[in-house]
Amino acid sequence: MDALTIAGKAYASRLLVGTGKYKDFDETQAAIEASGAEIVTVAIRRVNIGQDPNQPNLLDAIPPSRYTILPNTAGCYSADDAVRTLRLARELLDGHSLVKLEVLGDPNTLFPNVLETIKAAETLVKEGFDVMVYTSDDPIIAKQLEEIGCCAIMPLASLIGSGMGILNPWNLRLIIEQSKVPVLVDAGVGTASDAAVAMELGCDGVLMNTAIAHAKSPVLMASAMRKAVEAGREAYLAGRMPRKLYSADPSSPMSGLIGRS
Ligand SMILES: CC(=O)[C@@H](O)[C@H](O)COP(=O)(O)O
């Protein structure tokens, strides 16, 4: 199996999905099923996974016995808030250590605040969390986060929820080339070709939410994303043809043509 290994655990699927923005838990469940994702991220500040015992619990639709739940810190704007949120998640999920850290800079861009992200990552790694970290596509910051001990680096393709796709493939490539831990694009994927391009660049996986949840048919888009990630991965492993020049090259060889010696 061409597995994606995160914090020592192997996954067959390289597509990770979010749980926000769906109509209801039934739609969330159906889309996640169609995506084939095994890792499902949950915004601890927005979604009930047991914080309120009187409200519907997402974990009834997405059971931890079947999926790896990846609590995230969406909505946190400081290292302290993010760390507090993930400590709560660890309690709610019986000591589960795999988390997604995101510390946002402002509510308009939802761009990461990398200084606060680094601060939070240092604390969380010291406390034994396995930290997958949302960050900018800056290779220097990505390296620092890896050196701190994050188990996966998750640079944005473009702004969260924008659907703008991959704005800077060159920076992503720099991060991929230097990283010894998995690199997953997180945020900004708009459609299946964006996911395929991320994988063709050599990303180890893709995390997305809005492109599926806000599609006209989330279930159909989830299925398309599954195939796009698989196709992009296979194309990456196959190695693209080396030539990309604006000149023709006949597909049939000239030698051996009838009437030629
Ligand atoms: C779901 C999540 O954790 C975020 O990282 C983000 O929402 C993903 O971005 P998109 O919604 O742009 O896919």
Side-chain angles (χ1 to χ4, degrees), residues 4-11 68:
L4 166 66
T5 302
I6 307 265
K9 188 169 171 190
Y11 299 90
T68 294

CSV table of all heavy atoms in Angstrom, one decimal, residues 4-11 68:
chain,number,residue,atom,x,y,z
A,4,LEU,N,-0.1,6.9,3.5
A,4,LEU,CA,0.3,8.2,4.1
A,4,LEU,C,0.5,7.9,5.6
A,4,LEU,O,-0.4,7.4,6.3
A,4,LEU,CB,-0.8,9.2,3.9
A,4,LEU,CG,-0.7,10.5,4.8
A,4,LEU,CD1,0.5,11.3,4.4
A,4,LEU,CD2,-2.0,11.3,4.6
A,5,THR,N,1.7,8.1,6.1
A,5,THR,CA,2.0,7.9,7.5
A,5,THR,C,2.0,9.2,8.3
A,5,THR,O,2.9,10.0,8.0
A,5,THR,CB,3.3,7.0,7.7
A,5,THR,OG1,3.1,5.8,6.9
A,5,THR,CG2,3.5,6.7,9.1
A,6,ILE,N,1.2,9.3,9.3
A,6,ILE,CA,1.1,10.5,10.1
A,6,ILE,C,1.3,10.0,11.6
A,6,ILE,O,0.5,9.2,12.0
A,6,ILE,CB,-0.2,11.2,10.0
A,6,ILE,CG1,-0.6,11.6,8.6
A,6,ILE,CG2,-0.2,12.5,10.9
A,6,ILE,CD1,-0.2,12.9,8.1
A,7,ALA,N,2.3,10.6,12.2
A,7,ALA,CA,2.6,10.2,13.6
A,7,ALA,C,2.5,8.7,13.8
A,7,ALA,O,1.9,8.2,14.8
A,7,ALA,CB,1.5,10.9,14.5
A,8,GLY,N,3.2,8.0,12.9
A,8,GLY,CA,3.4,6.6,13.1
A,8,GLY,C,2.2,5.7,12.7
A,8,GLY,O,2.3,4.5,12.7
A,9,LYS,N,1.1,6.3,12.2
A,9,LYS,CA,-0.1,5.5,11.8
A,9,LYS,C,-0.2,5.6,10.2
A,9,LYS,O,-0.1,6.7,9.7
A,9,LYS,CB,-1.3,6.0,12.5
A,9,LYS,CG,-2.5,5.1,12.2
A,9,LYS,CD,-3.7,5.4,13.2
A,9,LYS,CE,-4.9,4.6,12.7
A,9,LYS,NZ,-6.1,4.9,13.3
A,10,ALA,N,-0.5,4.5,9.6
A,10,ALA,CA,-0.6,4.5,8.1
A,10,ALA,C,-2.1,4.6,7.7
A,10,ALA,O,-2.9,4.0,8.3
A,10,ALA,CB,0.0,3.2,7.6
A,11,TYR,N,-2.3,5.5,6.7
A,11,TYR,CA,-3.6,5.7,6.1
A,11,TYR,C,-3.6,5.4,4.6
A,11,TYR,O,-2.6,5.8,3.9
A,11,TYR,CB,-4.0,7.1,6.4
A,11,TYR,CG,-4.1,7.5,7.8
A,11,TYR,CD1,-3.0,8.1,8.5
A,11,TYR,CD2,-5.3,7.3,8.6
A,11,TYR,CE1,-3.1,8.4,9.8
A,11,TYR,CE2,-5.4,7.6,9.9
A,11,TYR,CZ,-4.2,8.2,10.5
A,11,TYR,OH,-4.3,8.5,11.9
A,68,THR,N,-10.3,8.6,12.1
A,68,THR,CA,-9.4,9.3,13.0
A,68,THR,C,-9.9,10.7,13.1
A,68,THR,O,-9.9,11.5,12.1
A,68,THR,CB,-7.9,9.3,12.5
A,68,THR,OG1,-7.5,7.9,12.5
A,68,THR,CG2,-7.0,10.1,13.3
